[in-house]
Amino acid sequence: MKLPSQFYKPLAVGAPDPLREVPVRLERMIHFIPPHIEKIRSKVPDLISQVDVLLGNLEDAIPADAKDAARSGFIELARGNDFGDTGLWTRINCLNSPWALDDITQIVAEAGNKLDVIMLPKVEGPWDIHYLDQLLAQLEAAHGVTRPILIHAILETAQGVKNVEDIASASPRMHGISLGPADLAASRGMKTTRVGGGHPFYGVLSDRGADGDGFGRTLFQQDLWHYTVAKMVDACASNAIKAFYGPFGDFSDSPACEAQFRNAFLQGCVGAWSLHPSQVDIAKRVFSPDVEEVKFALRILEAMPDGTGAVMLDGKMQDDATWKQAKVIVDLARLVAAKDPDLAGAYGL
Ligand code: GLV
Ligand code: MG
């Protein structure tokens, strides 16, 4: 185990100092685009103003014969646009694939100073993070990258879930973790064919009625991802990094997408992936705090200026713990307000 005194030292001479804290940024949606498609690249200037994070996807969903074009398309769009306060990320191919090394070396060499975060798929344990951490430090030093590129892991194998706490604490480069429900379902042997969301057969049956006939009873659908999201949120929160819901594959079912994102938001996630333009608005709606909640949270902070003691508001007890909850909501609302003037007005901020 590495000594605490070594944890924040650069891993290569000339690499930038690791960050001590994940930068405070609004990241309600990580918007995926396939960078090998010219028409999509031409939309990037518009997308930059609409999304919080833009991600060039190089991994699954990019055909094997388009992997090189996706990588060079990503480098072209990274170099050719100004991203302002919108995050620029890429999802590279997994470490045991034939493409990962070229993804990492070419992108850091040619766009290292534009890139905020590398999303690493199929992370099995801290060893995957250590490998990428060391390689990034060497490449940053070699190519004069001045800000450390952060790592975001996808939690999408049974072994990764088992090791999630060690993954979250593996390096000061860790930005956060996303749930990858499609690969995770396959890895676990779950009997589904969906990308995220619920399943009609996964539920709890209401009790048998007095007649005991067993018919006409309701199956209350349960959230298949509750356990994993909770485990991921605890691993992230205890290491001061961010948790995200991943993809929701049924673009025709916006209410189900919204419900799934909202469960993740309430459990502690800060954002989700958007794979389709319609999901950008869903994520904005879900991962921006509710106006009435913000107003009530502001009243709590106002009623307890130093955050201690107990007061009653609308018949509800408030104390140090609800003050902290209120602060989480108000801090997020301030970040949203800085980007969204309409919500700033609605929140009264
Ligand atoms: C995402 O990559 C997933 O497998 O769900
Ligand atoms: Mg996956």
Side-chain angles (χ1 to χ4, degrees):
M1 143 124 192
K2 193 181 267 192
L3 289 173
S5 62
Q6 303 300 305
F7 191 68
Y8 288 105
K9 293 219 169 119
L11 294 182
V13 175
D17 283 344
L19 300 183
R20 300 229 158 204
E21 283 177 16
V22 176
V24 177
R25 290 181 87 152
L26 192 59
E27 293 169 336
R28 293 168 295 182
M29 81 296 297
I30 305 165
H31 188 63
F32 274 53
I33 55 164
H36 58 296
I37 300 175
E38 211 283 319
K39 194 166 153 226
I40 300 274
R41 286 201 303 278
S42 71
K43 294 191 176 150
V44 166
D46 283 343
L47 284 172
I48 289 173
S49 60
Q50 289 160 23
V51 304
D52 296 341
V53 173
L54 191 70
L55 178 145
N57 180 29
L58 310 184
E59 200 223 10
D60 292 357
I62 305 298
D65 62 3
K67 293 286 187 189
D68 292 344
R71 186 189 310 124
S72 56
F74 177 73
I75 291 169
E76 182 189 315
L77 73 84
R79 292 169 70 104
N81 289 283
D82 180 359
F83 291 85
D85 62 3
T86 299
L88 177 64
W89 297 23
T90 182
R91 177 170 79 165
I92 61 170
N93 288 285
C94 61
L95 290 175
N96 62 2
S97 74
W99 307 289
L101 189 60
D102 286 344
D103 291 345
I104 302 164
T105 53
Q106 291 179 21
I107 288 172
V108 179
E110 295 181 47
N113 274 314
K114 294 300 267 303
L115 187 65
D116 294 300
V117 175
I118 288 183
M119 182 181 273
L120 184 62
K122 302 181 178 67
V123 174
E124 302 273 16
W127 52 88
D128 290 331
I129 307 297
H130 294 156
Y131 169 81
L132 183 57
D133 194 9
Q134 182 70 64
L135 182 56
L136 282 174
Q138 292 169 325
L139 292 168
E140 285 167 347
H143 299 291
V145 175
T146 53
R147 288 179 308 152
I149 296 164
L150 301 183
I151 300 174
H152 184 101
I154 312 181
L155 195 59
E156 54 182 351
T157 66
Q159 193 176 195
V161 175
K162 176 173 165 288
N163 291 323
V164 66
E165 286 161 25
D166 294 336
I167 294 168
S169 62
S171 158
R173 255 187 225 281
M174 284 302 295
H175 161 279
I177 302 180
S178 285
L179 173 74
D183 271 300
L184 183 54
S187 165
R188 279 176 171 162
M190 291 166 67
K191 311 302 178 291
T192 61
T193 53
R194 302 173 173 210
V195 177
H199 193 287
F201 301 162
Y202 187 76
V204 175
L205 197 60
S206 62
D207 274 1
R208 234 179 358 199
D211 59 3
D213 67 0
F215 294 103
R217 293 154 72 185
T218 309
L219 182 79
F220 293 99
Q221 201 173 319
Q222 306 288 299
D223 186 350
L224 268 177
W225 304 105
H226 179 83
Y227 153 77
T228 318
V229 170
K231 189 167 164 137
M232 176 180 73
V233 166
D234 282 345
C236 289
S238 58
N239 286 287
I241 65 171
K242 298 177 170 188
F244 291 71
Y245 193 83
F248 188 91
D250 186 350
F251 304 151
S252 69
D253 195 353
S254 309
C257 176
E258 182 155 345
Q260 184 76 90
F261 283 5
R262 187 159 284 113
N263 281 357
F265 175 66
L266 289 170
Q267 278 187 278
C269 290
V270 301
W273 301 2
S274 49
L275 302 184
H276 185 271
S278 64
Q279 295 181 337
V280 172
D281 285 336
I282 298 176
K284 274 191 190 159
R285 208 162 40 243
V286 171
F287 292 100
S288 306
D290 175 73
V291 172
E292 291 312 314
E293 286 274 53
V294 173
K295 288 188 172 159
F296 192 65
L298 283 165
R299 285 178 60 204
I300 298 175
L301 297 190
E302 201 178 87
M304 298 173 59
D306 69 356
T308 68
V311 295
M312 296 298 287
L313 283 182
D314 302 346
K316 301 185 190 93
M317 195 249 343
Q318 312 300 328
D319 67 1
D320 308 43
T322 55
W323 186 91
K324 288 180 203 150
Q325 292 177 59
K327 184 146 176 0
V328 168
I329 291 179
V330 171
D331 285 351
L332 176 58
R334 287 192 197 285
L335 265 184
V336 172
K339 187 150 181 165
D340 184 331
D342 289 345
L343 273 176
Y347 291 154
L349 289 171

